[in-house]
Structures are given as structure tokens and as C-alpha cells.
Amino acid sequence: MATIRPFAGLRPDPAAAARVAALPYDVYNRTEALREAEREPLSFLKIDRAEVHFGPEVSAYDSRVYEKAAALLQEAEREGIFIREEEPCLYLYELTREGRRQTGVVGCAAVDDYLTGVVKKHENTRADKEEDRVRHVEACGAQTGPIFLACRSFGNLRAVLKESKKAKPLYDFVSPDGIGHRIFKIAEPDQIQAITEGFAAMPALYIADGHHRAASAVRAALRRRKACPCYTGKEEWNYFLSVVFCAEELRILSYNRVVRDLNGLTPGAFLECLNEKCQVTGCGEKEVRPQAKGEIGLYLAGSWYHLAVRPQWLSADPVEGLDVAFLQREILAPYLGIGDPRTDSRIDFVGGIRGLSELKRRCETDMAAAFAMYPTDIGELFAVADAGLLMPPKSTWFEPKLRSGLLIHKME
């Protein structure tokens, strides 16, 4: 059974919500984060990425950065930019993009559900990135960015959620990227009980996005458990901020790849290599957007190519059958010498939200080739997680992104 419980949220004053709301901290590099913080002085990014307050000579992992984040959050509370709920409650978070809506339940998932596998993951995490968020959580005494969870179906919960959305939203605004955001508060005890019982009937929840935030919340809790062996399990730090969406409402975009060089091969020789594993069709200047699993678009030396994976190279394995796994296993590793995409500086990843034009631009500036992927399906994600396996890095790009700073979970 899955646990989603209410919490006394720390949230921005409605007059400031649209300005505070910020994309997740890991969407930006340092330069982009600084530019965004300068654009909007109230952006929560100034707390999530507090290195923007220091010069480039100060590491993003310097202790002063975390101290600054904590000080800024406390200051925002004192100034009334953020207010604290008097009683624990749940929330609904509705996102609208290009007329398509998805609604999630905001509450706190249990650290123990993560440890026992009720909350399932599908990606590895990096220790350095985990430690960064652990230090941020511990300094601020709060989880500032929600973990994006998915469930197979809302089932009987749909009626309760529909009723909850009849109330006036706490926040209702459109962010600069055109995404609509509405948040509703659920404080009625009967509705809270119906929702928590609905989740308790679910055998599993799945991390869609936010593996590092989840892992860091768990690590922070385990540290506190070690320091306080008399814990009851009811302390706030035994839970982590989450938004749970129904799978049928979610949209996954492609997560594309660009490579810096061809490992000594000429474009012609590389195409000959590809022909061993794929049927290669030249498309000239016409962009190639894969239309089905087993198709890949390639931009190389000023031209687009359509790659159709030959049947003998397909796999029924939940992980090996993924298009991104095929690309890594059969092309990037043997032909281009990219053995570990997590650490090799010759590969970069481009979210599908940036479009195919970004792949072309990268090849005209700093990269030699680009691969446009067909999006991983949510069913594939569930299959991998249910099998206890892990996807290759950067397999899924969920859009739209949740905003940080709208709902914060205080750990005390």
C-alpha cells in the first residue's frame, strides 16, 4: 500500500506566487540560473540555486551557498512572501500546456515506501548530486522541490478530485513559457481521508522525475534516524514532498543525444557502420522526427537521415528493448567509443522540449552528430521499474515541468 499524507505547507502569498514559481533547479546550468534570477528577483531559483549570489570563483557546493539558501528562505518567511498553513492539508496541482491538462495530488510520500520498493525508481542517481540536495534540504530544514510520481490509475479518486477542483484555486497563473498553473487546497477531512485511502489501496507509485530529490530526501531522513534512534516514524522528515499524477494524463517527450565527434570516422564511414544495424535513408534538409519505436532521426554533416532498426537488433527485454538502450549498446559504444554516457564528456543530452532545430544548431556549433529519439512510453517506464531494473540515463523528459517554490515541506 502507498502512503500519501497531508502536510502544513509553506507557500507563497498569492500575490507573489507567479513570480516565485521556478522551474526545477537542475533544468538550468549556472549561467542560465543567474540570468533567470536577474530577470525575476522573487524567483525561487535564488534559493534553490543560491550560488547565483556569488561569483564564479565560489563553487556551487561551497558551504556558504547552502547557508545563503537557508537565510533567504527565512527572510522570505519573515517578510510575508511565504505563509505557513495552520493545519495539514493536501493540494491539487493542475498544469495546462497547449490545451492539454494534467492534475496531480500534492502530499508527502513515505521514506519507508521508498526503502521497501512501494515507491519504485527507474534511474540511477549520482552521489555528488544527491549530496548537493541533502545539504540544501538540511540547511533549509525543508524540501523545496516536489518529486514527480505517477500511478497507473486514479480509479475512484477521480470523483473526489473533480469535486475538489470546484473550489476557487489558491493560485491561477500562466508562467512565461506559456504553461498554465492552478493549485487547489484540500482541507476538508472527508476529502483528505478519501484521497489517502485511495492511495493506500495502490500497490505502487513510480518516480517519473526527481530521482535525485527523492534519494536526497531519503538520505537526509536516514541521517536523522541515526542521530535520533528513538524516532517514531511520524516526524515530518520521514516523508518527502511529492505530486502524484495518473499515467494516462502524462506526456513524455524525447530525450535526444548529441555527440562531439565521430571517434575518427568520416561521415561516410559512420553511415556505413550504421547500415549494419539500421536501414539508413537520406532525407536531405527535411527534419526527421521518429514516428514509432525503432525509428531514430540522425543529423550529420548538414543532412538528415532516417534510421530504422533492423529486426534482429530489437529486444523484448524491458531495458535492452528501449530505443535509447539500443543506441547506446549498438551505436554509441562500439562505433563512437562512448562507453559510459554518465561520465563521457563527448556526449550531451537535449530535452525534446527544445525541438529538432536545437539539434541542428548544436551540430553547427559544437557537436558532430545528433540523434532524435522516439519518446519512451510510460508503459515502458512501469515495466522497467516493476522488474526492478534501471533505464539508461536521460531516457525520459516529462513536460510540462512542476514549479518549485509553490509548495514547500518543512521538516520540523
Side-chain angles (χ1 to χ4, degrees):
M1 58 180 284
T3 299
I4 293 293
R5 80 170 198 170
F7 67 106
L10 180 69
R11 57 184 179 84
D13 180 275
R19 297 181 62 191
V20 168
L23 284 165
Y25 74 96
D26 52 358
V27 168
Y28 301 95
N29 61 35
R30 186 164 182 165
T31 300
E32 292 169 336
L34 177 59
R35 189 181 305 124
E36 176 61 16
E38 290 175 342
R39 183 195 69 81
E40 175 49 75
L42 287 186
S43 173
F44 196 75
L45 201 60
K46 298 181 76 170
I47 296 174
D48 250 357
R49 293 286 295 272
E51 69 267 25
V52 300
H53 300 278
F54 300 89
E57 72 281 358
V58 176
S59 167
Y61 308 122
D62 190 292
S63 60
R64 289 172 290 177
V65 171
Y66 303 104
E67 292 167 3
K68 182 67 172 179
L72 288 171
L73 183 58
Q74 292 169 6
E75 180 182 346
E77 288 188 67
R78 288 194 302 269
E79 294 180 353
I81 296 173
F82 285 94
I83 56 179
R84 182 78 178 268
E85 299 284 6
E86 294 183 359
E87 298 293 336
C89 54
L90 297 172
Y91 304 85
L92 294 183
Y93 189 168
E94 179 191 84
L95 293 155
T96 304
R97 179 177 183 268
E98 297 177 350
R100 180 190 179 102
R101 294 183 180 182
Q102 61 185 62
T103 303
V105 177
V106 186
C108 286
V111 165
D112 284 329
D113 281 357
Y114 182 97
L115 295 172
T116 59
V118 173
V119 173
K120 297 178 181 288
K121 59 184 180 179
H122 67 268
E123 284 186 7
N124 269 324
T125 54
R126 285 174 47 181
D128 59 337
K129 290 190 174 184
E130 280 187 35
E131 183 62 20
D132 167 51
R133 286 300 100 179
V134 169
R135 294 177 69 187
H136 192 275
V137 165
E138 292 182 336
C140 293
Q143 296 153 356
T144 59
I147 287 83
F148 186 153
L149 300 178
C151 63
R152 292 185 179 275
S153 172
F154 273 155
N156 294 334
L157 282 180
R158 285 202 172 277
V160 181
L161 303 186
K162 184 178 181 180
E163 184 67 25
S164 299
K165 288 174 67 174
K166 291 181 178 179
K168 181 181 178 181
L170 293 175
Y171 310 131
D172 187 352
F173 63 90
V174 177
S175 51
D177 58 357
I179 307 300
H181 303 264
R182 293 204 301 169
I183 290 185
F184 301 82
K185 178 179 174 179
I186 304 176
E188 175 61 42
D190 289 345
Q191 289 184 328
I192 291 176
Q193 181 178 352
I195 292 171
T196 56
E197 289 179 351
F199 282 111
M202 297 182 186
L205 299 174
Y206 300 81
I207 299 177
D209 198 9
H211 282 79
H212 285 93
R213 292 191 293 277
S216 63
V218 172
R219 280 182 58 184
L222 293 179
R223 288 184 182 182
R224 293 201 178 200
R225 289 182 178 186
K226 185 175 182 180
C228 182
C230 58
Y231 72 92
T232 66
K234 300 298 183 181
E235 297 85 356
E236 288 298 325
W237 43 265
N238 285 296
Y239 300 85
F240 54 88
L241 181 63
S242 303
V243 186
V244 189
F245 291 91
C246 178
E248 64 191 42
E249 294 186 357
L250 299 180
R251 184 185 182 197
I252 303 179
L253 301 185
S254 57
Y255 219 143
N256 303 314
R257 274 79 169 133
V258 288
V259 294
R260 198 168 303 280
D261 60 70
L262 299 181
N263 199 31
L265 296 171
T266 65
F270 182 49
L271 289 172
E272 288 184 14
C273 292
L274 291 177
N275 195 54
E276 298 177 6
K277 309 290 176 63
C278 305
Q279 180 180 335
V280 181
T281 304
C283 299
E285 296 183 358
K286 183 180 180 181
E287 292 182 339
V288 176
R289 185 183 303 277
Q291 298 300 306
K293 183 177 172 63
E295 296 182 9
I296 299 172
L298 168 68
Y299 188 76
L300 174 69
S303 295
W304 283 96
Y305 298 85
H306 178 273
L307 310 181
V309 180
R310 298 188 185 280
Q312 62 267 35
W313 300 103
L314 298 174
S315 172
D317 181 86
V319 174
E320 296 303 314
L322 297 171
D323 283 356
V324 290
F326 162 81
L327 181 71
Q328 176 59 40
R329 180 183 68 249
E330 303 296 344
I331 295 176
L332 299 183
Y335 300 144
L336 301 184
I338 298 174
D340 187 349
R342 294 183 181 86
T343 58
D344 199 315
S345 62
R346 296 168 54 229
I347 186 171
D348 198 5
F349 304 89
V350 180
I353 192 65
R354 294 181 181 269
L356 297 182
S357 60
E358 176 65 8
L359 300 184
K360 181 179 178 181
R361 187 194 71 80
R362 290 296 299 272
C363 289
E364 292 173 346
T365 53
D366 62 335
M367 293 292 175
F371 298 90
M373 310 303 297
Y374 186 71
T376 300
D377 182 79
I378 189 69
E380 293 177 311
L381 184 155
F382 286 161
V384 170
D386 285 339
L389 302 173
L390 300 173
M391 287 184 173
K394 310 297 185 183
S395 294
T396 56
W397 180 281
F398 284 88
E399 195 66 36
K401 298 290 186 185
L402 301 172
R403 269 24 180 202
S404 295
L406 290 178
L407 293 167
I408 297 169
H409 176 223
K410 298 283 281 188
M411 296 177 62
E412 305 301 339

